[in-house]
Amino acid sequence: MVFLKVILLSLSLIFLTISGYAGEPGTEQTQQIEQDKKVDSQKTIKKKEVIKQKLVNTDIQLPKNPIDTIFLQPLGKPIDPRYANLSGNCTPAQEGYDCKIVVPKKKSTHFNKYYYYINANKHVYGVIAYRDYRVGNVDYCRSLIAEWKEYFSNFEFEKKSREENLDQLLLVTSAIQPSEIYMSCYPESYRDIKSYFSLKLFIDEN
């Protein structure tokens, strides 16, 4: 029993170490992380090999957390002025709701527009980040989606888009705060948005 607790504690520490590196793709943080990963990769591999040897025939899966922030903005909370500057208004997704154009203090080079959708309680229930100009060839856009897919694997999401569809990504969760993430390399035009690459995150208010 004590041995199992030691193993679980070791796994938790490794998980927290890896999770601590998780930042949105395209930020300065993730660029530094890539450099740090190269330095620490051998150490991490050795630790994992030791743990695997100890856990032969043992299947232990650590729980993943539901996503609660993006670009440092807490979801289900008012816009935090410490992490985003308001730069204008956008078209709300629902009548009686609001939408704000923001400039996050932690933003991704993958996007140049950020819209935060606000409910009747003035809380952020949705975020759309997109690029309103072409991102390059299809393979490059697919590589961006792959980066985000890897990042979101740190959270409790289930993939709903087809595995062979590399141009779109749909993730859903029915965790504590049900939410949906949709990414697309396809050109889109709706409301006041014209996008060539986008990330949409909405939480279910019901």
XYZ file of all heavy atoms in Angstrom, residues 44-129:
694
model
N 13.567 13.572 -18.623
C 12.169 13.154 -18.582
C 12.034 11.710 -19.063
O 11.295 10.915 -18.476
C 11.316 14.077 -19.462
O 11.466 15.419 -19.015
C 9.836 13.686 -19.389
N 12.722 11.379 -20.151
C 12.655 10.023 -20.692
C 13.138 9.004 -19.665
O 12.531 7.954 -19.468
C 13.487 9.920 -21.986
C 12.801 10.711 -23.106
C 13.685 8.471 -22.403
C 13.649 10.891 -24.347
N 14.249 9.322 -18.985
C 14.790 8.415 -17.982
C 13.807 8.211 -16.833
O 13.617 7.100 -16.337
C 16.118 8.940 -17.455
C 17.260 8.809 -18.463
C 18.561 9.358 -17.907
C 19.686 9.240 -18.933
N 20.957 9.806 -18.434
N 13.178 9.327 -16.383
C 12.199 9.215 -15.289
C 11.035 8.334 -15.701
O 10.565 7.499 -14.936
C 11.679 10.614 -14.917
C 12.668 11.457 -14.134
C 12.051 12.800 -13.762
C 13.043 13.665 -12.994
N 12.459 14.987 -12.670
N 10.545 8.538 -16.952
C 9.408 7.754 -17.415
C 9.771 6.274 -17.505
O 8.954 5.406 -17.204
C 8.944 8.265 -18.781
C 8.198 9.585 -18.717
C 7.692 10.001 -20.092
C 6.896 11.284 -20.007
N 6.405 11.704 -21.337
N 11.009 5.983 -17.947
C 11.436 4.597 -18.061
C 11.475 3.918 -16.694
O 11.077 2.762 -16.548
C 12.821 4.529 -18.719
C 12.780 4.831 -20.214
C 14.167 4.877 -20.822
O 15.155 4.853 -20.037
O 14.277 4.933 -22.060
N 11.950 4.651 -15.680
C 11.997 4.114 -14.319
C 10.586 3.819 -13.829
O 10.304 2.760 -13.255
C 12.708 5.096 -13.366
C 12.546 4.649 -11.919
C 14.190 5.195 -13.726
N 9.661 4.786 -14.052
C 8.270 4.593 -13.601
C 7.634 3.411 -14.321
O 6.943 2.594 -13.713
C 7.451 5.875 -13.868
C 7.967 7.027 -12.994
C 5.973 5.652 -13.589
C 7.814 6.786 -11.510
N 7.873 3.301 -15.646
C 7.285 2.200 -16.409
C 7.765 0.851 -15.888
O 7.002 -0.112 -15.829
C 7.624 2.349 -17.886
C 6.810 3.412 -18.590
C 7.184 3.505 -20.070
C 6.369 4.580 -20.766
N 6.757 4.704 -22.201
N 9.026 0.779 -15.533
C 9.561 -0.477 -15.021
C 8.872 -0.873 -13.720
O 8.620 -2.038 -13.455
C 11.065 -0.356 -14.799
C 11.870 -0.309 -16.096
C 13.340 -0.030 -15.870
O 13.766 0.118 -14.721
N 14.106 0.062 -16.934
N 8.564 0.113 -12.890
C 7.924 -0.161 -11.604
C 6.439 -0.491 -11.768
O 5.846 -1.156 -10.929
C 8.061 1.051 -10.678
C 9.488 1.304 -10.198
C 9.534 2.493 -9.247
C 10.946 2.733 -8.725
N 11.000 3.899 -7.824
N 5.845 0.003 -12.861
C 4.392 -0.157 -13.015
C 4.038 -1.204 -14.063
O 3.087 -1.045 -14.805
C 3.769 1.197 -13.404
C 3.866 2.301 -12.342
C 3.224 3.570 -12.842
C 3.199 1.866 -11.050
N 4.802 -2.246 -14.162
C 4.475 -3.323 -15.077
C 3.139 -3.945 -14.675
O 2.894 -4.221 -13.504
C 5.589 -4.392 -15.061
C 5.202 -5.571 -15.953
C 6.905 -3.785 -15.532
N 2.248 -4.122 -15.670
C 0.912 -4.699 -15.449
C 0.043 -3.822 -14.542
O -0.904 -4.315 -13.935
C 1.017 -6.114 -14.843
C 1.747 -7.068 -15.761
O 1.618 -6.970 -16.982
N 2.528 -7.971 -15.187
N 0.347 -2.547 -14.440
C -0.469 -1.632 -13.633
C -0.934 -0.487 -14.524
O -0.121 0.168 -15.158
C 0.335 -1.047 -12.461
O 0.858 -2.131 -11.698
C -0.542 -0.179 -11.576
N -2.241 -0.263 -14.593
C -2.801 0.780 -15.449
C -3.335 1.910 -14.576
O -4.389 1.796 -13.969
C -3.917 0.211 -16.325
C -4.454 1.239 -17.305
O -3.765 2.256 -17.526
O -5.557 1.031 -17.847
N -2.583 2.995 -14.483
C -2.999 4.141 -13.672
C -3.108 5.359 -14.584
O -2.128 5.738 -15.232
C -1.992 4.437 -12.546
C -1.900 3.229 -11.605
C -2.386 5.696 -11.782
C -0.855 3.381 -10.522
N -4.272 5.956 -14.656
C -4.482 7.143 -15.466
C -4.798 8.325 -14.555
O -5.739 8.283 -13.775
C -5.631 6.930 -16.458
C -5.304 5.897 -17.533
C -6.387 5.783 -18.567
O -7.514 6.220 -18.356
N -6.056 5.191 -19.704
N -3.988 9.366 -14.689
C -4.231 10.555 -13.886
C -5.370 11.368 -14.497
O -5.455 11.492 -15.714
C -2.962 11.406 -13.819
C -1.785 10.748 -13.102
C -0.535 11.589 -13.280
C -2.088 10.558 -11.633
N -6.241 11.931 -13.670
C -7.370 12.695 -14.210
C -6.916 13.993 -14.868
O -5.912 14.589 -14.471
C -8.216 12.987 -12.949
C -7.235 12.933 -11.820
C -6.224 11.893 -12.213
N -7.672 14.420 -15.881
C -7.403 15.699 -16.534
C -8.432 16.714 -16.062
O -9.558 16.370 -15.714
C -7.467 15.538 -18.054
C -6.392 14.621 -18.601
C -6.458 14.552 -20.110
C -5.351 13.653 -20.659
N -5.379 13.586 -22.130
N -8.033 17.974 -16.072
C -8.918 19.030 -15.598
C -9.703 19.649 -16.742
O -9.214 19.702 -17.867
C -8.100 20.133 -14.914
C -7.423 19.630 -13.662
O -8.002 18.869 -12.904
N -6.191 20.032 -13.447
N -10.917 20.151 -16.464
C -11.640 20.913 -17.483
C -10.935 22.244 -17.711
O -10.293 22.782 -16.809
C -13.023 21.110 -16.861
C -12.802 21.006 -15.386
C -11.672 20.026 -15.205
N -11.029 22.767 -18.921
C -10.370 24.032 -19.218
C -11.121 25.168 -18.515
O -12.352 25.196 -18.502
C -10.296 24.272 -20.742
C -9.344 25.425 -21.052
C -11.682 24.478 -21.355
C -8.938 25.507 -22.510
N -10.395 26.076 -17.882
C -11.060 27.177 -17.176
C -10.497 28.547 -17.549
O -11.042 29.568 -17.146
C -10.986 26.978 -15.652
C -9.547 26.859 -15.165
O -8.619 26.893 -15.994
O -9.360 26.719 -13.945
N -9.405 28.580 -18.333
C -8.856 29.846 -18.802
C -8.312 29.676 -20.208
O -7.941 28.571 -20.608
C -7.698 30.366 -17.912
O -6.631 29.414 -17.963
C -8.132 30.593 -16.486
N -8.253 30.784 -20.931
C -7.569 30.808 -22.211
C -7.029 32.218 -22.419
O -7.729 33.198 -22.121
C -8.483 30.367 -23.374
C -7.654 30.169 -24.651
C -9.629 31.347 -23.613
C -8.358 29.369 -25.722
N -5.800 32.322 -22.870
C -5.101 33.618 -22.976
C -5.135 34.360 -21.635
O -5.272 35.575 -21.590
C -5.696 34.468 -24.092
C -5.778 33.754 -25.414
C -6.999 33.558 -26.049
C -4.634 33.244 -26.008
C -7.074 32.891 -27.258
C -4.702 32.563 -27.226
C -5.927 32.388 -27.853
N -5.077 33.588 -20.551
C -5.101 34.066 -19.160
C -6.476 34.549 -18.703
O -6.656 34.881 -17.533
C -4.070 35.190 -18.927
C -2.613 34.815 -19.151
C -1.712 36.021 -18.881
C -2.188 33.651 -18.249
N -7.470 34.605 -19.595
C -8.811 35.055 -19.222
C -9.593 33.905 -18.600
O -9.804 32.872 -19.237
C -9.561 35.578 -20.444
C -11.057 35.821 -20.206
C -11.343 36.822 -19.101
O -10.706 37.859 -19.024
N -12.314 36.527 -18.243
N -10.042 34.065 -17.327
C -10.886 33.026 -16.722
C -12.235 32.937 -17.433
O -12.863 33.967 -17.712
C -11.066 33.510 -15.272
C -9.970 34.508 -15.055
C -9.733 35.150 -16.387
N -12.685 31.733 -17.727
C -13.984 31.525 -18.345
C -15.064 31.549 -17.268
O -14.859 31.061 -16.166
C -13.997 30.201 -19.094
C -12.960 30.093 -20.221
C -12.891 28.668 -20.753
C -13.256 31.066 -21.342
N -16.210 32.130 -17.612
C -17.284 32.241 -16.640
C -17.080 33.374 -15.656
O -17.768 33.445 -14.638
N -16.144 34.289 -15.956
C -15.851 35.450 -15.114
C -15.852 36.707 -15.972
O -15.736 36.636 -17.192
C -14.483 35.301 -14.432
C -14.319 34.047 -13.591
C -15.139 34.120 -12.319
C -14.905 32.881 -11.451
N -15.722 32.915 -10.212
N -15.967 37.908 -15.355
C -15.873 39.148 -16.147
C -14.499 39.264 -16.803
O -13.531 38.617 -16.370
C -16.070 40.248 -15.097
C -16.764 39.579 -13.950
C -16.269 38.163 -13.934
N -14.411 40.067 -17.854
C -13.119 40.290 -18.498
C -12.154 40.864 -17.470
O -12.453 41.834 -16.786
C -13.267 41.259 -19.694
C -14.068 40.592 -20.815
C -11.895 41.680 -20.218
C -14.299 41.481 -22.025
N -10.992 40.247 -17.369
C -9.989 40.674 -16.397
C -9.058 41.699 -17.049
O -8.294 41.344 -17.955
C -9.185 39.471 -15.916
C -8.369 39.763 -14.667
O -7.888 40.905 -14.548
O -8.210 38.856 -13.833
N -9.131 42.974 -16.633
C -8.306 44.021 -17.262
C -6.809 43.823 -17.075
O -6.013 44.454 -17.755
C -8.783 45.308 -16.576
C -9.364 44.860 -15.272
C -9.953 43.507 -15.534
N -6.428 42.931 -16.161
C -4.997 42.645 -15.989
C -4.447 41.863 -17.175
O -3.244 41.911 -17.438
C -4.768 41.840 -14.702
C -5.074 42.586 -13.423
C -4.899 41.660 -12.231
N -5.805 40.514 -12.298
C -5.752 39.472 -11.458
N -4.815 39.420 -10.525
N -6.614 38.474 -11.579
N -5.327 41.151 -17.870
C -4.877 40.244 -18.912
C -5.386 40.597 -20.306
O -5.040 39.909 -21.272
C -5.295 38.809 -18.579
C -4.817 38.364 -17.219
C -5.691 37.842 -16.278
C -3.475 38.478 -16.866
C -5.247 37.431 -15.024
C -3.021 38.070 -15.620
C -3.914 37.551 -14.709
O -3.472 37.154 -13.465
N -6.205 41.633 -20.435
C -6.722 41.994 -21.747
C -7.119 43.466 -21.770
O -7.695 43.973 -20.803
C -7.928 41.123 -22.103
N -6.801 44.131 -22.883
C -7.219 45.510 -23.100
C -8.390 45.530 -24.078
O -8.348 44.875 -25.126
C -6.066 46.339 -23.684
C -4.906 46.465 -22.706
O -5.106 46.648 -21.506
N -3.683 46.346 -23.211
N -9.439 46.268 -23.744
C -10.591 46.395 -24.639
C -10.240 47.355 -25.760
O -9.666 48.414 -25.529
C -11.811 46.911 -23.874
C -12.287 46.057 -22.681
C -13.526 46.681 -22.056
C -12.596 44.643 -23.128
N -10.606 46.982 -26.995
C -10.311 47.869 -28.120
C -11.528 48.175 -28.971
O -11.429 48.870 -29.976
C -9.212 47.259 -29.002
O -9.671 46.083 -29.615
N -12.708 47.658 -28.589
C -13.917 47.962 -29.352
C -15.019 46.960 -29.085
O -14.890 46.091 -28.212
N -16.101 47.092 -29.840
C -17.251 46.198 -29.717
C -17.361 45.326 -30.959
O -16.970 45.722 -32.057
C -18.539 46.996 -29.542
C -18.531 47.815 -28.260
O -18.185 47.312 -27.197
N -18.905 49.081 -28.356
N -17.911 44.144 -30.764
C -18.175 43.236 -31.881
C -19.634 42.793 -31.802
O -20.343 43.139 -30.850
C -17.221 42.042 -31.858
S -16.849 41.356 -30.220
N -20.079 42.037 -32.785
C -21.484 41.638 -32.850
C -21.746 40.457 -31.919
O -21.111 39.409 -32.053
C -21.860 41.240 -34.281
O -21.558 42.322 -35.156
C -23.334 40.903 -34.377
N -22.676 40.604 -30.965
C -22.966 39.498 -30.027
C -23.508 38.274 -30.761
O -24.099 38.378 -31.837
C -24.038 40.097 -29.104
C -23.939 41.574 -29.292
C -23.483 41.795 -30.699
N -23.321 37.123 -30.146
C -23.827 35.883 -30.731
C -25.303 35.681 -30.415
O -25.987 34.932 -31.112
C -23.012 34.698 -30.222
N -25.783 36.337 -29.347
C -27.178 36.198 -28.949
C -27.755 37.566 -28.585
O -27.032 38.459 -28.134
C -27.310 35.283 -27.725
C -26.787 33.877 -27.919
C -26.989 33.010 -26.698
O -28.097 32.988 -26.132
N -25.961 32.306 -26.274
N -29.051 37.687 -28.742
C -29.718 38.934 -28.370
C -29.664 39.126 -26.856
O -29.847 38.176 -26.091
C -31.174 38.897 -28.837
C -31.915 40.200 -28.624
C -33.341 40.163 -29.144
O -33.688 39.204 -29.870
O -34.119 41.090 -28.825
N -29.359 40.330 -26.418
C -29.277 40.621 -24.993
C -27.900 40.348 -24.408
O -27.668 40.605 -23.231
N -27.003 39.797 -25.224
C -25.646 39.537 -24.791
C -24.717 40.604 -25.364
O -25.163 41.552 -25.994
C -25.202 38.134 -25.225
C -25.746 37.020 -24.355
C -26.947 37.159 -23.654
C -25.079 35.812 -24.247
C -27.439 36.146 -22.867
C -25.566 34.779 -23.467
C -26.750 34.951 -22.774
O -27.220 33.942 -21.981
N -23.415 40.463 -25.159
C -22.466 41.475 -25.605
C -21.231 40.785 -26.184
O -21.034 39.580 -26.022
C -22.073 42.370 -24.418
C -21.523 43.716 -24.856
O -21.379 43.939 -26.077
O -21.223 44.541 -23.979
N -20.411 41.574 -26.859
C -19.166 41.059 -27.439
C -18.140 42.176 -27.417
O -18.452 43.330 -27.753
C -19.403 40.584 -28.868
S -17.910 39.958 -29.694
N -16.929 41.854 -27.006
C -15.860 42.850 -26.911
C -14.646 42.398 -27.722
O -14.224 41.244 -27.635
C -15.438 43.051 -25.454
C -16.537 43.619 -24.556
C -16.931 45.026 -24.965
C -18.016 45.591 -24.040
N -18.464 46.922 -24.507
N -14.112 43.326 -28.505
C -12.838 43.093 -29.173
C -11.746 43.384 -28.159
O -11.744 44.449 -27.535
C -12.678 44.005 -30.399
C -13.838 43.793 -31.385
C -11.339 43.755 -31.087
C -13.855 44.793 -32.526
N -10.843 42.448 -27.981
C -9.811 42.618 -26.959
C -8.425 42.379 -27.553
O -8.272 41.755 -28.608
C -10.023 41.670 -25.753
C -11.392 41.886 -25.124
C -9.835 40.230 -26.168
N -7.438 42.885 -26.836
C -6.037 42.587 -27.144
C -5.462 41.909 -25.905
O -5.141 42.566 -24.921
C -5.241 43.864 -27.474
C -3.784 43.511 -27.776
C -5.867 44.615 -28.630
N -5.382 40.568 -25.933
C -4.857 39.859 -24.748
C -3.398 40.227 -24.499
O -2.630 40.447 -25.436
C -4.996 38.385 -25.137
C -5.939 38.352 -26.280
C -5.762 39.640 -26.998
N -3.027 40.284 -23.236
C -1.626 40.537 -22.907
C -0.777 39.298 -23.133
O 0.437 39.382 -23.265
C -1.511 41.042 -21.467
C -2.159 42.412 -21.315
C -2.011 43.001 -19.936
C -2.664 44.381 -19.881
N -2.617 44.970 -18.540
N -1.451 38.130 -23.188
C -0.786 36.898 -23.601
C -1.528 36.400 -24.837
O -2.581 35.794 -24.735
C -0.840 35.848 -22.496
C -0.189 34.536 -22.886
C -0.446 33.483 -21.830
C 0.108 32.138 -22.274
N -0.265 31.061 -21.332
N -0.991 36.722 -26.012
C -1.675 36.337 -27.238
C -0.805 35.405 -28.063
O 0.397 35.288 -27.836
C -2.063 37.571 -28.042
C -0.938 38.527 -28.353
C -1.481 39.783 -29.010
C -0.364 40.798 -29.239
N -0.866 42.037 -29.843
N -1.447 34.753 -29.032
C -0.759 33.796 -29.894
C -0.451 34.440 -31.235
O -1.262 35.192 -31.777
C -1.644 32.566 -30.096
O -1.093 31.711 -31.079
N 0.716 34.115 -31.785
C 1.077 34.611 -33.113
C 0.207 33.976 -34.201
O 0.243 34.413 -35.344
C 2.559 34.307 -33.423
O 2.780 32.895 -33.300
C 3.472 35.046 -32.458
N -0.587 32.994 -33.838
C -1.455 32.333 -34.808
C -2.666 33.178 -35.173
O -3.317 32.918 -36.186
C -1.937 30.987 -34.255
C -0.827 30.026 -33.979
N -1.037 28.815 -33.346
C 0.500 30.089 -34.239
C 0.126 28.178 -33.238
N 1.069 28.940 -33.762
N -3.007 34.163 -34.340
C -4.225 34.959 -34.552
C -3.908 36.453 -34.462
O -2.964 36.855 -33.788
C -5.284 34.613 -33.494
C -5.476 33.135 -33.293
C -4.993 32.501 -32.154
C -6.129 32.370 -34.246
C -5.147 31.137 -31.973
C -6.291 30.994 -34.072
C -5.801 30.376 -32.935
N -4.754 37.257 -35.119
C -4.601 38.711 -34.987
C -5.879 39.394 -34.496
O -5.893 40.594 -34.289
C -4.147 39.341 -36.312
C -5.219 39.281 -37.387
O -5.884 38.265 -37.558
N -5.380 40.359 -38.130
N -6.950 38.612 -34.280
C -8.214 39.153 -33.773
C -8.701 38.272 -32.623
O -8.653 37.040 -32.712
C -9.295 39.183 -34.860
C -8.931 39.985 -36.099
C -9.084 41.469 -35.872
C -8.836 42.230 -37.171
N -8.958 43.680 -37.015
N -9.197 38.935 -31.577
C -9.707 38.217 -30.410
C -11.040 38.822 -29.990
O -11.113 40.023 -29.697
C -8.725 38.303 -29.237
C -7.370 37.709 -29.534
C -6.402 38.446 -30.213
C -7.042 36.417 -29.140
C -5.157 37.902 -30.501
C -5.804 35.867 -29.416
C -4.860 36.622 -30.096
O -3.634 36.087 -30.375
N -12.102 38.006 -29.968
C -13.427 38.445 -29.533
C -13.804 37.670 -28.272
O -13.715 36.442 -28.249
C -14.482 38.169 -30.609
C -14.424 39.063 -31.829
C -13.406 40.006 -32.004
C -15.390 38.959 -32.823
C -13.370 40.830 -33.123
C -15.362 39.780 -33.946
C -14.334 40.701 -34.098
O -14.296 41.506 -35.209
N -14.228 38.396 -27.240
C -14.736 37.767 -26.023
C -16.247 37.986 -25.971
O -16.711 39.130 -26.019
C -14.080 38.370 -24.773
C -12.636 37.972 -24.558
C -11.955 37.154 -25.458
C -11.934 38.413 -23.442
C -10.637 36.794 -25.260
C -10.606 38.059 -23.230
C -9.962 37.246 -24.139
O -8.645 36.891 -23.936
N -16.993 36.894 -25.847
C -18.455 36.965 -25.825
C -18.937 36.979 -24.378
O -18.533 36.151 -23.567
C -19.046 35.798 -26.613
C -18.797 35.969 -28.102
C -17.614 35.542 -28.679
C -19.732 36.603 -28.919
C -17.363 35.731 -30.030
C -19.493 36.797 -30.265
C -18.309 36.356 -30.822
O -18.070 36.565 -32.155
N -19.810 37.923 -24.089
C -20.241 38.214 -22.717
C -21.729 37.901 -22.564
O -22.547 38.309 -23.396
C -20.009 39.714 -22.382
C -18.637 40.190 -22.872
C -20.202 39.976 -20.903
C -17.481 39.496 -22.254
N -22.089 37.205 -21.475
C -23.502 36.909 -21.247
C -24.184 38.037 -20.471
O -23.578 39.085 -20.210
C -23.661 35.556 -20.527
C -23.006 35.557 -19.150
O -22.734 36.597 -18.551
N -22.751 34.359 -18.632
N -25.445 37.815 -20.097
C -26.214 38.848 -19.405
C -25.630 39.204 -18.043
O -25.868 40.294 -17.518
C -27.672 38.393 -19.250
N -24.840 38.296 -17.473
C -24.196 38.556 -16.181
C -22.818 39.206 -16.324
O -22.090 39.330 -15.340
C -24.050 37.245 -15.390
C -25.398 36.644 -15.019
O -26.335 37.367 -14.696
N -25.489 35.332 -15.078
N -22.478 39.589 -17.573
C -21.183 40.231 -17.873
C -20.012 39.269 -17.716
O -18.879 39.687 -17.485
C -20.950 41.473 -16.979
C -22.088 42.483 -17.017
C -22.294 43.047 -18.404
C -23.395 44.100 -18.424
N -23.706 44.560 -19.805
N -20.282 37.977 -17.836
C -19.237 36.965 -17.734
C -18.853 36.467 -19.121
O -19.705 36.362 -20.015
C -19.706 35.783 -16.884
C -19.930 36.143 -15.447
N -20.606 35.310 -14.579
C -19.574 37.235 -14.723
C -20.660 35.869 -13.370
N -20.035 37.042 -13.439
N -17.586 36.121 -19.301
C -17.101 35.599 -20.575
C -17.542 34.139 -20.712
O -17.150 33.289 -19.924
C -15.561 35.689 -20.666
C -15.071 35.042 -21.958
C -15.105 37.138 -20.586
N -18.381 33.867 -21.726
C -18.819 32.493 -21.953
C -18.280 31.943 -23.275
O -18.424 30.754 -23.572
C -20.351 32.403 -21.952
C -21.010 32.944 -23.195
C -21.335 32.108 -24.257
C -21.295 34.294 -23.327
C -21.928 32.596 -25.406
C -21.889 34.794 -24.468
C -22.205 33.946 -25.501
O -22.793 34.447 -26.655
N -17.630 32.806 -24.049
C -17.082 32.346 -25.321
C -15.903 33.200 -25.762
O -15.839 34.394 -25.449
N -14.986 32.577 -26.475
C -13.819 33.276 -27.016
C -13.627 32.814 -28.455
O -13.649 31.605 -28.733
C -12.549 32.964 -26.198
C -11.309 33.511 -26.906
C -12.655 33.537 -24.792
N -13.471 33.756 -29.353
C -13.099 33.432 -30.727
C -11.806 34.171 -31.045
O -11.737 35.393 -30.918
C -14.196 33.813 -31.736
C -15.435 32.940 -31.526
C -13.681 33.651 -33.173
C -16.568 33.214 -32.506
N -10.797 33.412 -31.406
C -9.537 33.988 -31.871
C -9.384 33.568 -33.322
O -9.587 32.398 -33.655
C -8.372 33.466 -31.028
